[in-house]
Amino acid sequence: MVDFPHSQLLEPSTGAAGNASRPVGMNGAESLLRTLVGSGVEVCFANPGTSEMHFVSALDRVDGMRAVLVLFEGVATGAADGYARMTGKPAVTLLHLGPGLGNGLANLHNARKAQVPVVNIIGDHATTHQRFEAPLTSNVAAFAGTVSHWVHSSRGSATVAADAARAVQAARTAPGQIASLILPADTAWRPAERIASPLPITGPAPVSELAIAQSAAALRSGEACALLLRGDALLGRGLAAAGRIAAATGARLICDTFAPRIERGRGRVAVERLPYRPGPAIAFLQGTKSLILVGTQAPVAFFAYPGQPSELTPPGCQPMVLAHPHEDGAAALEALAEAIGAPQQRPISTSRPAAPDFPVDGTLDPDAVMRVVAHCLPEGAIISDESLTAGFACYPRFDLAAPHDYLQLSGGAIGGGLPLATGAAIACPGRKVISLEGDGSAMYTLQALWTQARERTDTITVIFANRSYKVLNEELKGVGAGEAGPKVLSMLDLHDPALNWVKLAEGMGVEARRVDRVRDLTDALRSAINGHGPHLIEAVVS
Amino acid sequence: MVDFPHSQLLEPSTGAAGNASRPVGMNGAESLLRTLVGSGVEVCFANPGTSEMHFVSALDRVDGMRAVLVLFEGVATGAADGYARMTGKPAVTLLHLGPGLGNGLANLHNARKAQVPVVNIIGDHATTHQRFEAPLTSNVAAFAGTVSHWVHSSRGSATVAADAARAVQAARTAPGQIASLILPADTAWRPAERIASPLPITGPAPVSELAIAQSAAALRSGEACALLLRGDALLGRGLAAAGRIAAATGARLICDTFAPRIERGRGRVAVERLPYRPGPAIAFLQGTKSLILVGTQAPVAFFAYPGQPSELTPPGCQPMVLAHPHEDGAAALEALAEAIGAPQQRPISTSRPAAPDFPVDGTLDPDAVMRVVAHCLPEGAIISDESLTAGFACYPRFDLAAPHDYLQLSGGAIGGGLPLATGAAIACPGRKVISLEGDGSAMYTLQALWTQARERTDTITVIFANRSYKVLNEELKGVGAGEAGPKVLSMLDLHDPALNWVKLAEGMGVEARRVDRVRDLTDALRSAINGHGPHLIEAVVS
């Protein structure tokens, strides 16, 4: 959020009230920045305005903070989410008053639901200026409260550093929280004394012996069990332990429909995905006697539909909590594996199984696109999947792809995908990040492409160009809203005019190509993977 | 905000709980829509999701509501602002849960500060579904509360119509309010009995005789007076009465720096604009003994700066309220003109004064662009000015342009300009709408161009392509944040990569051209004015 011009006018102030031009000493903004760096925060996704100029200015005086400019706040917040998913650490967003924060709320909602750490620094009017009804005056704390676990407005420059340390601590409280620190302009520009030391972090809580014993008893009972996994349970140690349990007991391994991050691909433990729709989800779980929850809750429908249940646990199935989201799910799974005497898993095979089959040529449909991407996927890639209609049926296509991380839209607020990919790329230089995007969904935060070009991220965006809000065509039937007339259809159709994603990408400095055949997609994708910097491929699908 | 696919699964429900498929009778959504139409609401700016599908479906069964699809919620809310500024009437926005509303908050902030009526319809989870932690579950009322004067969440389908009538009443309460009606999905799909009648509107309150007498006394005192105008005082009757008062007494006529709408141009009463910066603003008012406030407050600085005052009324100047914003400023000015015996103003001359001079050729700078636009401006045009750095110095250039309406960013949240223009064009078919945009500011809501192409609006966007957040370069000096180092400069610079606005526009179906000389700009502008549908001109300025 940018503001209005100001120049020519201001004499350097000399009074005690205006210490902005003092050449030595530290102001609140600098004490804040140094404290953030000292607390382990390394990246700032910024769309600053006037109130944040002292923070911006401090960037050149303080080492250790990478500043990434974005042209829309939703890119900053979504990128912070992606960064946190890949590193487990908070990035900082720099936002401008209530409306600037407003533009970032949808992706903060997603980050909140992904349970990752984010620290927002939101500039506000100087404390002396807040009682006036200036144009940008707003209740910043009210905006922040909609998505934040922790909100605080600094009241003086001497306390800003301590506030920043508390914000980082709040963000890093397991499993990860949204912390919003509001920074009135005068708390940034007035003098500060010192930085604040990092505060202790509340890591994941240990899981109770009772929960482990109960889950072990269920697994030993001989009745059908399933483990529903989320968070650390879908990564590294947790996933390996889950695999041991499944191998020893026959229990199914299932993940939430929109798990924030999953380690997938050849040689890794495969996890089934809970179907999105209520009926199929209930049918999918039918026959399960014990549903062991690890880092998640008992499953609920994404939306309610007339006459359909919200709770997806089928009759006769007993959910039981092994680990709450704030508890150590990976350790719990390891303890559970020991408790049932599961053998150590065989070392992961180093012989490469065949890559997923893929069509050699033909026109494109969503499944063909997914098969090409899965086939070409480089080892260690990161997928940001916001393909919506395309993604559900094609999820299993990636089980045999090269090992990769798979990120999804955990909070359901569209417009997460491109920013998420941008943040993941900043977090993981050297790894390829592939965004799978609907043409409708990519439009919410297309400004991310500019930041990708500016930062030369190794990001490849594949647009599923179906020229419609196809998902809504299906939802319309699902909710029983009756036959679609011409006005309804016009609300779901993006043909008039068709978006030209090649031009949109090139307009922001990203190399782009349109394809409508399998061979051309394969060619474009391989070329992008072998190249450097961001690319976009518009895949016209029927 | 769009959602996820859903198909195949749902049997038509037959129980009383699920009446969505009943072929006859009216559901809550339809009762809502019919009530809105009956209350005089004619346009809906929509970015719907699953929860809003019954409302969307009702659009084909109810006449009288024009539905305009947007690809980002900030376009919907900004367009509703523009529509309301030009018609005085509320449009409806259709938004999807907390995050969808979140994307629209910045422009609702602007609309709130512009004091215009807007009705938001925000879908939410079904009431039965709200207790579950589904991905999109959020506190919608908390999101709405940040910008709304009136918030209500419907609790049943039988009351939705009455709630809608109250929302329109709230929005139309003078001077104009933001009303947010939250519509849980089941209150839309369950049966409704009847629509609700329009409710009485609280129009502008009469101004007290005392206030008129006090202002008249000030004007008669012989001491220097100024009238600070906003709202209806800058339109038609109000402006004419202000002109009579100025002519009779020598009082200055001044408007707020960011007045929502001003009728300007040849033959109209010219109004000076209060400078943006605190020092110049105070200097500008220096010597004024009485500052008569009409529809506005005593002036305050846009931002606080170290050592600078927030209040801009100079010492020795007495602000006095003639009319509060909710009072009838136009009538107050007419009464004041009578009270001081101001002669009726001469009829506006029908002889055309010369158009503003303009440069014949040369390279472009912001002033040259403004002069060309002012020179070429067609009669009855609407200007949406979000040019920021360019706009201030060039404001007087339009005093001699053809009569037009001039809209500004009243709430200071960048990203208002293109949506505002889109809504104004929907409100005023047959009039040309010209957006003056910074390249940085246009990026916040560039998705508006797609809706312009879809609706074939007569909108012309002129981008001042300076490839920087130039305003922030100036603010950096203004706030005394010290010398700019390389990181600071990189936060303010948009050269790397330069945005290509021709491609961005064409990517959304808008005809576009880049110019860097006066002659080419003039040519491009005339061609766009003589044509139909949306155009964009990227003016490369130094």
Side-chain angles (χ1 to χ4, degrees), chain A residues 444 491, chain B residues 1 43-48 67-84 90-96 100-101 103-108 111 116-122 178 415-416 418-424 426 444-449 451:
Chain A
Y444 287 83
M491 287 292 101
Chain B
M1 183 67 48
V43 174
C44 173
F45 297 102
N47 189 250
V68 177
L69 182 62
V70 302
L71 299 187
F72 178 72
E73 294 86 346
V75 179
T77 53
D81 184 2
Y83 178 91
V92 162
T93 68
L94 185 64
L95 308 171
H96 186 49
L101 171 57
N103 282 337
L105 289 178
N107 277 336
L108 287 173
V116 296
V118 175
V119 175
N120 302 304
I121 306 291
I122 308 138
I178 312 300
L418 291 177
L420 210 55
T422 309
I426 301 280
Y444 287 82
T445 47
L446 75 164
Q447 301 94 337
L449 294 172
T451 295

Side-chain angles (χ1 to χ4, degrees), chain A residues 255-474:
Chain A
C255 65
D256 270 357
T257 314
F258 294 103
R261 180 179 166 198
I262 316 173
E263 288 183 354
R264 302 186 64 195
R266 292 192 293 266
R268 285 178 170 162
V269 174
V271 176
E272 299 176 275
R273 185 191 202 185
L274 189 70
Y276 168 70
R277 301 168 215 122
I282 293 172
F284 180 84
L285 294 173
Q286 203 78 49
T288 304
K289 293 298 174 199
S290 298
L291 184 62
I292 299 172
L293 306 172
V294 191
T296 188
Q297 61 177 0
V300 298
F302 197 95
F303 284 110
Y305 301 94
Q308 298 284 320
S310 288
E311 294 174 284
L312 305 182
T313 308
C317 173
Q318 178 64 42
M320 57 176 67
V321 176
L322 173 63
H324 288 293
H326 72 283
E327 293 174 334
D328 193 337
L333 286 165
E334 287 178 338
L336 181 58
E338 293 305 313
I340 62 167
Q344 290 295 326
Q345 208 170 17
R346 67 185 188 290
I348 289 171
S349 164
T350 51
S351 72
R352 289 224 167 185
D357 72 311
F358 81 112
V360 176
D361 203 7
T363 57
L364 289 173
D365 59 26
D367 187 55
V369 176
M370 290 294 190
R371 288 161 76 191
V372 170
V373 174
H375 183 86
C376 298
L377 202 70
E379 185 140 350
I382 300 165
I383 294 178
S384 170
D385 184 2
E386 195 176 42
S387 59
L388 307 187
T389 36
F392 285 102
C394 310
Y395 173 84
R397 294 285 177 204
F398 289 90
D399 278 336
L400 285 182
H404 63 280
D405 282 277
Y406 190 83
L407 313 180
Q408 296 180 94
L409 193 64
S410 304
I414 306 292
L418 291 177
L420 210 56
T422 309
I426 302 280
C428 303
R431 297 177 65 176
K432 295 284 176 184
V433 183
I434 300 185
S435 289
L436 306 174
E437 280 288 335
D439 49 358
S441 56
M443 278 301 288
Y444 287 83
T445 47
L446 73 165
Q447 302 93 336
L449 294 173
W450 183 84
T451 295
Q452 293 183 1
R454 186 176 182 86
E455 300 291 331
R456 278 82 168 163
T457 54
D458 278 334
T459 41
I460 302 165
T461 301
V462 179
I463 301 278
F464 290 73
N466 60 20
R467 281 79 190 266
S468 83
Y469 283 150
K470 192 171 176 193
V471 296
L472 290 183
N473 281 292
E474 303 188 2

Side-chain angles (χ1 to χ4, degrees), chain B residues 270-290:
Chain B
V271 176
E272 300 175 274
R273 185 192 202 184
L274 189 70
Y276 168 71
R277 302 166 215 123
I282 293 172
F284 180 84
L285 294 174
Q286 203 76 50
T288 303
K289 293 299 173 197
S290 298

